Amino acid sequence: MGLTNNDIFKKLRVAHKLRDDDIIKICSLVDFKVSKSELGAFFRNENHPKYMECGDQILRNFLNGLIIHLRGPMPEKKQKTEPEKNTK
């Protein structure tokens, strides 16, 4: 069977040596709020009564926040101006 969102989240947490506070800060970079208790539920064993599945939206927001955390904010794009016409 393939990896679940919870498995991916756990692996990223371990690979980047992130604590719960770090994950909360990373999610806040994309204006997404998550609590410590929710994070604890994602990282529990599947057989635990308080286990909760990590949805696509949560993982997507964490990944977007992780990109900003690692690379920095995306620079603003310069608007293209119309080429100047030669008037000779």
Side-chain angles (χ1 to χ4, degrees):
M1 190 166 170
L3 290 173
T4 64
N5 286 348
N6 293 65
D7 295 332
I8 294 168
F9 207 174
K10 287 179 195 175
K11 289 180 182 294
L12 287 169
R13 179 185 188 194
V14 171
H16 290 282
K17 300 176 187 170
L18 299 172
R19 300 174 54 122
D20 288 346
D21 294 332
D22 300 328
I23 294 172
I24 291 170
K25 287 177 188 173
I26 288 170
C27 288
S28 71
L29 293 173
V30 289
D31 297 327
F32 186 76
K33 294 182 180 170
V34 64
S35 68
K36 280 190 179 186
S37 59
E38 284 179 301
L39 291 177
F42 297 140
F43 300 131
R44 294 184 189 276
N45 188 335
E46 290 182 26
N47 301 326
H48 194 279
K50 295 202 176 192
Y51 170 81
M52 194 166 77
E53 262 189 50
C54 178
D56 292 339
Q57 180 183 11
I58 294 165
L59 186 60
R60 181 181 65 244
N61 282 303
F62 171 72
L63 290 172
N64 287 334
L66 187 62
I67 289 169
I68 293 170
H69 176 72
L70 296 174
R71 292 184 188 170
M74 190 172 186
E76 292 188 27
K77 294 181 180 179
K78 295 180 181 177
Q79 292 182 353
K80 291 185 177 180
T81 58
E82 290 185 31
E84 294 181 23
K85 295 179 181 178
N86 290 338
T87 53
K88 290 188 178 182

